[in-house]
């Protein structure tokens, strides 16, 4: 049997192995080797069943709400809900509105097929409707004034593209009226029974028109949004006020349903945004710099001239 190695050699070998297994030479039973494993004691883990908290890397302490690896969001508590209500009151109001109108929709009586539509805007303007119906001259005057306002919208949008080289409002108007025509052909709503027509109203001459949605309202919204981008906030507020008066007049004369006016506002905002994205995309493809979000002026006119 060869003699065992000196103790110094055995110590150096064990230290070089670090946390791995160390081979210790024990002179027992004729110098036989025995393997001894180095025992590593892990850190004590918290008892989840007892409600212990476990510190997570970069996430703080997650206690009481963790089940199977899922951690309860911070807002799922009384303090969290209170914080959400303070910081996001509009979102909380819309959430309550969702629950409210779900209950209303599932319990409201349906309108029979032979009955006229129920419109709250018509009910709110019943007195105005009666006054205008009793005075045909007033109906014609209001229709003429409304036509002037429509001409103001068209003139501004044309000036923006022809005089200032800003085509966004014009592109938005073309998109809007194209989609309005398609929707108007797809679903033709019945004319209100109390409609007060006038040859002075736009389109002039008592011609047919689409009810859904209101091009009068959508066009005014597009023009006002362009005014805000150009820094003409006073003009934009004026157009907003005239648009509101226009909506009241259209309801009082039964020229549109309430839903036509509401969707007209949304359509104006939507197509203004889509026109901006379209023109900004054209600028980016043609090598132009994209407009910074929140900038007052837009450089989308470059898209008209790019080759």
């Amino acid at each position: 049997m060869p003699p065992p190695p000196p103790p110094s050699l055995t110590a150096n070998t064990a230290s070089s192995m670090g946390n791995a297994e160390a081979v210790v030479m024990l002179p027992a039973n004729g110098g036989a080797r025995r393997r001894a494993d180095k025992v590593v004691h892990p850190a004590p883990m918290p008892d989840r069943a007892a409600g212990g908290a476990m510190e997570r890397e970069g996430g703080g302490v997650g206690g009481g709400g963790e089940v199977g690896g899922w951690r309860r969001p911070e807002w799922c508590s009384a303090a969290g809900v209170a914080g959400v209500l303070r910081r996001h009151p509009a979102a909380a109001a819309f959430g309550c509105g969702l629950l409210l109108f779900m209950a209303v929709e599932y319990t409201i009586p349906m309108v029979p097929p032979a009955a006229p539509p129920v419109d709250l805007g018509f009910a709110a303007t019943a007195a105005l409707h009666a006054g205008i119906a009793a005075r045909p001259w007033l109906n014609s005057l209001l229709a003429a004034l409304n036509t002037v306002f429509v001409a103001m919208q068209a003139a501004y949008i044309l000036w923006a593209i022809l005089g200032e080289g800003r085509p966004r409002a014009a592109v938005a108007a073309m998109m809007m009226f194209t989609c309005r025509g398609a929707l108007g052909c797809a679903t033709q709503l019945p004319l209100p029974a109390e409609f007060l027509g006038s040859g002075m109203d736009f389109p002039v001459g008592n011609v047919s028109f689409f009810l859904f949605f209101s091009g009068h309202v959508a066009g005014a919204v597009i023009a006002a949004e362009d005014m805000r981008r150009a820094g003409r906030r006073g003009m934009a507020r004026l157009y907003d006020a005239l648009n509101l008066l226009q909506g009241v007049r259209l309801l009082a004369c039964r020229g549109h349903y309430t839903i036509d006016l509401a969707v007209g506002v949304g359509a104006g905002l939507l197509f203004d945004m889509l026109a901006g994205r379209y023109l900004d995309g054209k600028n980016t493809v043609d090598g132009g710099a994209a407009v910074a979000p929140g900038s007052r002026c837009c450089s989308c006119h470059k898209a008209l001239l790019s080759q």
Side-chain angles (χ1 to χ4, degrees):
M1 293 292 296
S8 60
L9 181 59
T10 305
N12 291 338
T13 304
S15 61
S16 64
M17 295 176 65
N19 294 333
E21 297 177 345
V23 178
V24 182
M25 304 304 297
L26 298 178
N29 296 330
R33 295 187 178 184
R34 297 201 327 192
R35 180 180 294 279
D37 297 336
K38 187 176 181 180
V39 180
V40 179
H41 299 281
M45 298 298 292
D47 188 3
R48 294 186 180 179
M54 182 173 63
E55 184 72 18
R56 288 180 170 235
E57 183 177 353
V61 178
E66 186 170 343
V67 178
W70 176 82
R71 186 182 177 189
R72 185 182 65 188
E74 295 181 0
W75 57 269
C76 288
S77 63
V81 171
V84 170
L85 292 177
R86 284 194 304 268
R87 297 192 60 186
H88 306 283
F94 281 118
C96 295
L98 169 65
L99 299 177
L100 171 64
F101 286 108
M102 284 178 63
V104 171
E105 180 180 2
Y106 300 151
T107 57
I108 192 171
M110 300 293 290
V111 178
V118 176
D119 194 299
L120 296 181
F122 289 0
T125 57
L128 286 175
H129 173 78
I132 296 174
R135 300 169 180 84
W137 64 268
L138 181 58
N139 183 33
S140 297
L141 176 61
L142 294 176
L145 292 175
N146 206 156
T147 299
V148 171
F149 181 48
V150 174
M152 290 168 57
Q153 302 171 27
Y156 176 82
I157 292 174
L158 289 175
W159 169 253
I161 184 174
L162 299 177
E164 299 179 340
R166 295 185 296 104
R168 178 166 172 172
V171 173
M174 289 187 291
M175 289 179 173
M176 182 269 293
F177 280 108
T178 299
C179 291
R180 177 177 178 266
L183 293 175
C185 292
T187 302
Q188 299 185 37
L189 299 176
L191 192 67
E194 299 176 333
F195 172 66
L196 300 176
S198 172
M200 301 298 296
D201 205 352
F202 182 85
V204 178
N206 278 325
V207 298
S208 60
F209 60 94
F210 294 126
L211 284 169
F212 185 85
F213 48 88
S214 174
H216 290 65
V217 172
V221 170
I222 291 173
E225 287 299 301
D226 189 81
M227 292 172 185
R228 290 186 181 89
R229 275 191 303 273
R232 302 174 176 130
R233 299 190 177 277
M235 288 183 62
R237 287 192 292 267
L238 174 62
Y239 268 55
D240 289 338
L242 293 176
N243 200 9
L244 179 61
L245 295 176
Q246 172 182 246
V248 173
R249 180 254 163 184
L250 290 172
L251 286 176
C253 296
R254 308 302 189 248
H256 276 291
Y257 295 104
T258 302
I259 193 173
D260 303 334
L261 307 181
V263 175
V265 174
L269 296 173
L270 171 65
F271 288 110
D272 178 75
M273 178 193 68
L274 293 179
R277 288 188 177 184
Y278 167 76
L279 293 170
D280 288 342
K282 282 293 183 181
N283 287 339
T284 302
V285 170
D286 294 333
V291 181
S295 59
R296 173 176 292 183
C297 240
C298 87
S299 60
C300 55
H301 62 278
K302 298 178 182 177
L304 289 179
L305 305 177
S306 299
Q307 301 295 328

